[in-house]
C-alpha cells in the first residue's frame, strides 16, 4: 500500500508540475496583451484570417484582434502579396489586415516570405521561381481555393510577373452549347459540345493583378530613378555599379545579357517557349498600377505607371478624390484595343523602354496616380503607398482602402 501511495503521490507531483509549466506559458502569453486584452503585435503568420474584428482599423486595439490561420473557414480567393527590395512579409501587415477584415469569408491573404532581406539580390528570375513554388505549397494547404490574385510592391511586382509566367496553365474544356434553350444528351458525343480554352494560374482562376510603385520599365535612363535628378552621368554610374545589388541590380538596370539574350525585363513582356509572360498577364481580369506622381525617389512615375514621360498627366491638372485624398488621377483607358492597331516598327528604331511599353500595354491597365504632396510623409512616398509601417507611413491608408474597395472578388 505504501508503495502504491508513493507511486500515486509521484504521479500527482508530475501532474502538478506539468500544470505549473502550462500556467507559466499562459502567463507569458498574457503578458503580451495590453490591459484591454489587445495584442501589442500580430502573430507572425503568413496566411491571415480574421477571427474577431474589434480594432479601430489602425491596428489599435479595442479588444481581442488575432490574426491566424482559420481552419474552419473555406476561403475561395487566394491573395498573394509580394514585398520589394530588402523587404519582408511584415511589410504587408497593414494591407493584409484590411483585406481580411473586408472579405473575411472569401479571401485568405498570403504574404510571401520566400524572398526577403538580402535574398532579394538573387535576381528577378530566381525570386520568381521561388515565389511560384511557394504559391503551389500554399494552394495545397487550402483545398477550397478557386481564384487567385497578386499584389506586389516595388520589385515585388516584377517578381509576381515572372512567377505567373511560370504558373500559367492552359486548360481545354468541353462545354455543351445551347440552341433555343434546349440541350440533348443520349450517351454519345454530342456535336454541340464546344472546346473552350481557359487560362489558369497554378490551377486557379486569375482575377486581380495589382502593383504599387513597381519599376515595370526598369531603372535605366529616362529619369526612371528620381534620386539621380535626370543626370546621365549618375545614371551611367549607377548602371556600372548595379552589381552591388547582385543579379537583381543587373536586371533592373537592363545590363544583363545572359547567353546573348535580351535583358530579362524585355523578355518578360512577351511569351517564350517555356514561359508565357504575356499570356499569363492577359489571363487576369484586372490589371492595376498604382504609381507615385512625385516624391518617390526610387521608382519614377513613368516606369511605375507604364507610360512614356510625354503621356504623363500634368500635375497642375490633377485633383484629389474626397474619399481617397492622396489619389489624384484614375486612368481607365483600354490600351489593348489601340495598341494592336500600331504597326510594328523596326526594333532598331525602338529603345528598350518603348518596346517594354508596347508589350505591356497589350493588356488593359487601370493606372492610379498617387500624390502625397502636403503630407509630412511625402519624402517617404515609396513606402507610404504600401503603408509599410503604420506609425511611419499611415498617410497611405487611403490608397490601401482604394485597393480593397475596388478589389474584384
Amino acid at each position: 500500500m505504501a508503495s502504491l501511495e508513493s507511486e500515486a503521490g509521484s504521479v500527482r507531483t508530475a501532474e502538478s508540475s506539468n500544470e505549473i509549466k502550462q500556467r507559466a506559458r499562459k502567463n507569458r502569453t498574457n503578458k503580451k496583451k495590453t490591459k484591454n486584452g489587445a495584442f501589442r503585435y500580430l502573430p507572425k503568420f503568413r496566411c491571415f484570417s480574421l477571427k474577431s474584428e474589434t480594432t479601430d482599423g489602425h491596428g489599435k486595439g479595442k479588444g481581442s484582434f488575432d490574426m491566424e490561420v482559420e481552419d474552419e473557414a473555406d476561403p475561395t480567393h487566394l491573395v498573394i502579396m509580394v514585398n520589394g527590395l530588402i523587404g519582408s512579409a511584415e511589410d504587408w501587415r497593414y494591407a493584409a489586415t484590411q483585406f481580411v477584415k473586408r472579405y473575411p469569408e472569401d479571401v485568405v491573404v498570403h504574404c510571401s516570405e520566400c524572398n526577403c532581406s538580402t535574398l532579394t539580390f538573387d535576381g528577378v528570375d530566381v525570386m520568381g521561381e521561388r515565389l511560384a513554388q511557394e504559391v503551389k505549397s500554399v494552394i495545397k494547404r487550402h483545398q477550397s481555393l478557386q481564384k487567385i490574385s497578386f499584389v506586389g510592391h516595388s520589385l515585388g511586382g516584377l517578381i509576381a510577373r515572372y512567377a505567373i509566367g511560370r504558373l500559367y496553365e492552359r486548360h481545354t474544356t468541353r462545354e455543351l452549347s445551347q440552341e433555343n434553350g434546349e440541350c440533348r444528351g443520349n450517351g454519345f458525343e454530342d456535336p454541340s459540345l464546344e472546346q473552350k480554352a481557359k487560362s489558369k494560374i497554378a490551377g486557379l482562376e486569375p482575377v486581380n493583378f495589382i502593383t504599387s510603385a513597381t519599376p515595370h520599365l526598369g531603372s535605366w535612363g529616362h529619369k526612371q530613378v528620381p534620386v539621380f535628378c535626370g543626370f546621365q552621368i549618375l545614371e551611367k554610374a549607377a548602371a556600372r555599379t548595379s552589381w552591388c545589388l547582385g543579379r537583381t541590380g543587373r536586371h533592373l538596370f537592363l545590363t544583363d545579357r545572359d547567353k546573348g539574350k535580351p535583358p530579362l525585363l524585355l523578355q518578360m513582356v512577351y511569351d517564350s517557349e517555356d514561359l508565357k509572360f504575356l499570356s499569363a498577364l492577359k489571363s487576369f481580369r484586372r490589371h492595376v498600377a498604382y504609381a507615385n506622381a512625385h516624391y518617390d525617389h526610387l521608382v519614377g512615375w513613368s516606369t511605375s505607371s507604364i507610360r512614356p514621360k510625354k503621356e504623363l498627366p500634368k500635375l497642375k491638372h490633377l485633383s484629389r478624390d474626397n474619399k481617397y485624398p492622396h489619389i489624384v488621377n484614375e486612368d481607365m483607358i483600354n490600351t489593348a484595343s489601340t495598341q494592336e492597331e500600331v504597326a510594328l516598327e523596326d526594333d532598331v528604331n525602338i529603345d528598350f523602354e518603348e518596346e517594354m511599353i508596347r508589350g505591356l500595354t497589350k493588356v488593359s491597365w487601370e493606372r492610379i496616380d498617387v500624390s502625397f504632396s502636403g503630407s509630412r510623409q511625402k519624402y517617404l512616398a515609396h513606402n507610404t503607398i504600401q503603408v509599410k509601417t503604420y506609425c511611419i507611413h499611415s498617410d497611405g491608408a487611403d490608397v490601401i482602402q482604394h485597393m480593397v474597395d475596388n478589389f474584384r472578388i
Side-chain angles (χ1 to χ4, degrees):
M1 287 293 293
S3 61
L4 290 175
E5 289 177 358
S6 62
E7 289 178 4
S10 62
V11 170
R12 283 195 296 271
T13 302
E15 289 176 349
S16 61
S17 176
N18 289 333
E19 290 174 358
I20 291 172
K21 291 180 180 179
Q22 291 175 359
R23 283 199 297 270
R25 283 195 293 267
K26 289 180 180 179
N27 289 336
R28 286 195 295 270
T29 302
N30 291 334
K31 286 179 181 179
K32 296 175 183 177
K33 295 185 179 181
T34 59
K35 292 181 180 179
N36 61 2
F39 280 93
R40 294 182 183 275
Y41 69 100
L42 299 180
K44 296 181 180 179
F45 289 104
R46 302 313 177 199
C47 290
F48 296 93
S49 182
L50 186 63
K51 273 193 171 180
S52 59
E53 184 177 345
T54 52
T55 66
D56 61 2
H58 296 161
K60 296 178 180 179
K62 292 182 178 178
S64 177
F65 185 76
D66 298 336
M67 297 290 288
E68 59 184 28
V69 176
E70 176 60 80
D71 295 329
E72 297 177 0
D74 292 318
T76 58
H77 199 144
L78 174 62
V79 182
I80 301 292
M81 292 186 166
V82 192
N83 59 269
L85 192 68
I86 320 181
S88 70
E90 296 296 316
D91 298 347
W92 283 114
R93 179 186 294 272
Y94 176 82
T97 303
Q98 305 313 306
F99 268 92
V100 178
K101 286 178 63 178
R102 179 64 181 273
Y103 308 107
E105 303 295 329
D106 302 301
V107 306
V108 55
V109 182
H110 179 80
C111 299
S112 174
E113 59 185 348
C114 66
N115 297 303
C116 64
S117 188
T118 55
L119 290 177
T120 56
F121 296 160
D122 291 346
V124 174
D125 51 353
V126 173
M127 291 184 288
E129 295 286 354
R130 283 200 292 249
L131 177 61
Q133 293 303 316
E134 185 181 19
V135 170
K136 290 179 181 178
S137 66
V138 173
I139 293 173
K140 288 180 180 179
R141 298 200 303 265
H142 300 275
Q143 300 298 321
S144 61
L145 294 174
Q146 301 172 11
K147 304 175 182 179
I148 189 170
S149 293
F150 286 80
V151 182
H153 173 253
S154 192
L155 178 65
L158 297 178
I159 299 171
R161 276 177 47 201
Y162 190 98
I164 64 174
R166 176 61 68 195
L167 296 170
Y168 177 75
E169 302 170 0
R170 189 79 167 166
H171 293 277
T172 302
T173 59
R174 299 182 68 82
E175 296 183 358
L176 185 64
S177 63
Q178 296 185 7
E179 295 181 4
N180 301 323
E182 296 181 358
C183 297
R184 292 184 302 171
N186 52 12
F188 297 98
E189 186 173 343
D190 197 318
S192 63
L193 284 173
E194 296 180 351
Q195 284 194 347
K196 292 187 178 181
K198 292 186 178 181
S199 298
K200 301 283 187 178
I201 298 295
L204 304 179
E205 177 188 349
V207 185
N208 306 273
F209 190 87
I210 304 171
T211 63
S212 65
T214 290
H216 288 285
L217 310 179
S219 303
W220 164 247
H222 300 277
K223 301 179 182 180
Q224 299 294 17
V225 183
V227 74
F228 298 148
C229 303
F231 294 122
Q232 289 188 357
I233 188 171
L234 293 179
E235 292 178 348
K236 289 181 179 179
R240 292 193 191 101
T241 59
S242 61
W243 55 268
C244 295
L245 300 178
R247 296 181 69 251
T248 298
R250 293 193 287 274
H251 290 157
L252 289 175
F253 285 91
L254 311 178
T255 59
D256 57 305
R257 295 288 192 281
D258 295 340
K259 299 179 181 178
K261 295 181 179 179
L264 179 63
L265 295 192
L266 190 58
Q267 297 177 48
M268 285 171 55
V269 302
Y270 301 113
D271 286 345
S272 63
E273 291 184 4
D274 57 336
L275 290 167
K276 308 298 182 183
F277 295 117
L278 185 58
S279 294
L281 200 56
K282 283 183 176 181
S283 68
F284 286 82
R285 280 191 261 164
R286 291 181 70 229
H287 313 86
V288 190
Y290 288 85
N292 283 312
H294 44 192
Y295 296 112
D296 189 328
H297 302 296
L298 299 177
V299 179
W301 189 7
S302 172
T303 186
S304 54
S305 64
I306 319 176
R307 286 181 287 206
K309 282 192 172 294
K310 62 184 179 181
E311 293 183 10
L312 293 173
K314 301 296 182 182
L315 287 173
K316 62 181 180 181
H317 295 156
L318 301 180
S319 59
R320 297 184 182 276
D321 189 294
N322 292 331
K323 185 176 181 181
Y324 313 103
H326 296 110
I327 290 179
V328 294
N329 182 56
E330 296 186 45
D331 182 3
M332 303 293 183
I333 296 176
N334 186 335
T335 58
S337 58
T338 58
Q339 187 67 28
E340 291 176 354
E341 298 173 0
V342 178
L344 294 178
E345 303 176 27
D346 187 352
D347 285 348
V348 174
N349 299 323
I350 301 177
D351 66 14
F352 288 159
E353 182 191 71
E354 292 173 343
E355 191 167 353
M356 285 187 284
I357 291 176
R358 188 177 67 181
L360 288 172
T361 53
K362 288 181 180 178
V363 301
S364 299
W365 288 89
E366 299 173 28
R367 299 184 178 103
I368 313 298
D369 298 317
V370 178
S371 174
F372 293 105
S373 177
S375 165
R376 290 181 296 179
Q377 301 171 4
K378 61 185 178 183
Y379 295 113
L380 305 174
H382 186 69
N383 290 329
T384 299
I385 197 173
Q386 181 196 18
V387 193
K388 182 175 180 178
T389 303
Y390 186 82
C391 62
I392 303 174
H393 311 109
S394 58
D395 284 357
D398 64 308
V399 180
I400 297 298
Q401 192 59 50
H402 182 276
M403 189 183 295
V404 172
D405 289 346
N406 291 276
F407 192 78
R408 191 173 298 180
I409 290 292

